[in-house]
Amino acid sequence: MHNDLKYLQVSIEDGIGTILLNRPNVLNAINRPMVSEIVHVMEEMDQNENVKVIVLGGVGRAFAAGADIDEMAEATPLQLELLNQFSEWDRISLVKKPIIGAVQGFALGGGFELALCCDILFAAHDAEFGFPEIQLGVMPGAGGTQRLTKLMGKTKAMEWLLSGDRMSVEEALNYGVINRIVARELLIDETKKFAIKISKQAPLSLRLIKESVLKAVDYSLYEGMQFERKNFYLLFASDDQKEGMKAFQERRKPNFKGR
């Protein structure tokens, strides 16, 4: 599968689609072609019935140590506008299936923004997060100021964005940036184990819960609850709802089909 990929390692097994950033010689620095590959593979997995959950990680010592500065150093505002530099990033947030990130080493700048695109994050003890853009005379541009603020609130987000300091894995856990800390050597295995647990759930429920939670971030409570309610009603049109409730009544495990 995907023998033409230059920047990623990709596999599908046990209902889990795994995408590993694969530029270890530059600590998986993110360039435009890599983002393009990530987006295209994620969209393919989103359409693939054999994939229930997507896992995103990195090969080598880092998840992703930032954007490829060489690619941007001489860019002009008009070039960035015409390239529509971040349009492909927007497509990641349209992926319907759960995305679980596995972070080791550095997740800085664009690497941190990519991690924040995940729905759930596991991190190794050596993980470090941060937005050093301010030290380069720029700022995050792929959602960093927005997602971090939604996660931890204005004053804390300001502290990290304005200082460019690195956040330890313990701090990231404390602020709710990550879900759990895992031993480095077990990171991918533990992430996949959790992904497999989620993959056993009803696929349409996974899809509509993710959609509803993402709306909760942006909507008022009332608007979010109206959205949630419609999704709740919609699931009663599915075979999986009938199967799930019947299995509960019959005291057996459900056999979900995603329909």
Side-chain angles (χ1 to χ4, degrees), residues 191-221:
T191 307
K192 283 187 177 178
K193 192 185 294 182
F194 188 76
I196 288 169
K197 178 181 180 179
I198 289 180
S199 75
K200 307 291 188 206
Q201 312 288 13
L204 287 168
S205 296
L206 289 176
R207 178 186 179 117
L208 296 187
I209 288 170
K210 171 171 173 170
E211 193 177 68
S212 300
V213 171
L214 292 179
K215 285 287 187 281
V217 176
D218 297 323
Y219 281 12
S220 71
L221 179 61

Side-chain angles (χ1 to χ4, degrees), residues 137-149:
V138 289
M139 63 179 283
T145 63
Q146 305 304 297
R147 287 197 168 95
L148 196 67
T149 303

